[in-house]
């Protein structure tokens, strides 16, 4: 019995490594040429545009691995891409090439695809990028759905966080990009003035809960927060209800775009 378990475990590990290393995909990877290199992206489906933004030290393939890309592409025109410093996109090794350039990359990608407005779904770092984009270009954001993060104030905690080496920064590009993420933080004034529909989906066990959800509730009690009981920062993406929660958030944000006030709610899901 133990031998069979060991063999099965070994096969699972091999399959996982094959998927991670070779990244077999059903969708074509394309390249957007920008100054200094390229941004690798995928697009599929028809309808309202939904842009998926991955987290730090991850890549756009995560959205395929979790099944989110394919499921959302059944109802939307879905775009995902490797942020600079990640995956198959350009990888500068100096911090000056990150920060607000990550917002500029998103603008360039939308322009390349002829997308005037979109919904933005961002996990962790991707949520920071999406929220910053929406605060700067509200006319191009139909709504923002952040996963595993809320609003991180630009205060002592953030300065300490981004001023210290990050343990999963295993490449020179990641080491260079992490400190520059502080440029993506939305200011107090920006979050208070934000009129783009915004939903935060987060696990109750997420390490970002206290530092980003509690401040968000204090400053913007009108913003919808969906809590998933027992889920953490990464395994939230493998929650069986994540697609339905994202689509529900998009539908609610779409309804908000035809109303004057953002509906507020705090919903608790059992994972």
């Amino acid at each position: 019995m133990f031998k069979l378990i060991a063999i099965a475990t070994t096969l699972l590990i091999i399959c996982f490594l094959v998927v991670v290393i070779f990244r077999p995909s059903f969708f074509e990877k394309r390249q957007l040429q920008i100054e200094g290199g390229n941004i690798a992206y995928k697009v599929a489906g028809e309808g309202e545009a939904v842009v998926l933004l991955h987290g730090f030290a991850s890549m756009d393939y995560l959205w395929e691995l979790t099944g989110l890309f394919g499921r959302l592409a059944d109802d939307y025109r879905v775009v995902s891409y490797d942020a600079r410093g990640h995956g198959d996109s350009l990888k500068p090794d100096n911090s000056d090439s990150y920060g607000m350039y990550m917002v500029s990359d998103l603008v360039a990608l939308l322009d390349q695809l002829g997308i005037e407005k979109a919904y933005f779904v961002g996990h962790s770092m991707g949520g920071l990028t999406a929220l910053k984009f929406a605060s700067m270009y509200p006319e191009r954001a139909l709504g923002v759905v952040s996963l595993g993060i809320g609003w991180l104030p630009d205060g002592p905690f953030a300065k300490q966080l981004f001023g210290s080496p990050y343990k999963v920064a295993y490449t020179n590009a990641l080491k260079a990009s992490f400190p520059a993420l502080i440029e993506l933080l939305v200011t107090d004034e920006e979050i208070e003035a934000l009129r783009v529909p915004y939903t935060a989906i987060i696990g109750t066990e997420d390490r970002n809960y206290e530092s980003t959800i509690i401040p968000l509730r204090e400053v913007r009690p009108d913003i919808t927060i969906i809590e998933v009981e027992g889920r953490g920062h990464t395994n939230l993406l493998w929650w069986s209800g994540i697609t339905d929660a994202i689509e529900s958030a998009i539908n609610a944000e779409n309804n908000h775009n035809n109303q004057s006030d953002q509906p507020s709610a705090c919903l608790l899901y059992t994972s």
Side-chain angles (χ1 to χ4, degrees):
M1 176 62 71
F2 290 110
K3 187 175 181 179
L4 289 175
I5 292 175
I7 292 173
T9 301
T10 301
L11 289 174
L12 284 173
I13 292 173
I14 291 173
C15 290
F16 177 78
L17 291 174
V18 167
V19 168
V20 170
I21 293 172
F22 295 102
R23 288 179 272 159
S25 175
F26 294 103
F27 305 95
E28 178 189 359
K29 201 74 172 276
R30 307 179 186 182
Q31 303 292 334
L32 167 65
Q33 296 299 318
I34 59 173
E35 184 177 353
N38 62 282
I39 295 294
Y41 69 95
K42 294 195 290 279
V43 59
E46 297 180 354
E48 294 276 19
V50 175
V51 181
L52 304 176
L53 301 90
H54 65 77
F56 183 76
S58 184
M59 62 186 70
D60 93 302
Y61 188 64
L62 173 73
W63 303 112
E64 273 195 77
L65 198 60
T66 59
L68 275 167
F69 187 94
R71 290 197 294 270
L72 290 173
D74 289 338
D75 300 306
Y76 304 96
R77 185 186 185 195
V78 181
V79 180
S80 69
Y81 69 101
D82 290 322
R84 63 169 58 208
H86 299 73
D88 295 321
S89 291
L90 75 164
K91 296 181 176 64
D93 57 7
N94 58 343
S95 293
D96 292 341
S97 296
Y98 293 94
M100 291 306 299
Y101 282 102
M102 302 178 83
V103 176
S104 300
D105 293 342
L106 182 51
V107 172
L109 182 58
L110 294 178
D111 291 345
Q112 167 75 13
L113 295 173
I115 297 174
E116 294 184 6
K117 298 181 179 182
Y119 292 98
F120 300 90
V121 179
H123 179 241
S124 196
M125 177 189 76
L128 294 180
T129 307
L131 194 58
K132 189 66 173 180
F133 176 91
S135 70
M136 296 176 63
Y137 304 97
E139 72 282 359
R140 303 195 70 171
L142 293 170
V144 173
V145 181
S146 66
L147 308 175
I149 200 165
W151 171 60
L152 179 59
D154 186 5
F157 175 79
K159 288 179 172 58
Q160 180 182 10
L161 173 66
F162 295 117
S164 305
Y166 196 57
K167 60 184 178 181
V168 297
Y170 49 85
T171 67
N172 289 335
L174 292 177
K175 292 175 182 176
S177 66
F178 187 70
L181 295 183
I182 197 168
E183 296 179 21
L184 298 177
L185 299 187
V186 169
T187 66
D188 293 28
E189 293 78 11
E190 287 173 329
I191 193 68
E192 290 172 0
L194 185 72
R195 293 298 173 263
V196 173
Y198 177 37
T199 304
I201 303 176
I202 193 164
T204 57
E205 303 300 318
D206 196 307
R207 62 179 183 268
N208 287 334
Y209 187 94
E210 184 174 349
S211 60
T212 69
I213 295 298
I214 293 176
L216 179 61
R217 277 206 183 103
E218 292 175 350
V219 176
R220 290 294 303 269
D222 58 312
I223 285 176
T224 300
I225 297 172
I226 298 175
E227 299 180 5
V228 185
E229 189 174 13
R231 290 285 167 165
H233 190 64
T234 301
N235 67 5
L236 173 69
L237 300 178
W238 274 266
W239 171 45
S240 60
I242 190 66
T243 305
D244 289 340
I246 291 171
E247 291 192 318
S248 294
I250 290 175
N251 289 334
E253 291 177 353
N254 181 53
N255 291 334
H256 159 72
N257 285 325
N258 299 314
Q259 300 171 358
S260 57
D261 298 318
Q262 168 152 330
S264 61
C266 180
L267 308 174
L268 178 64
Y269 287 77
T270 301
S271 65

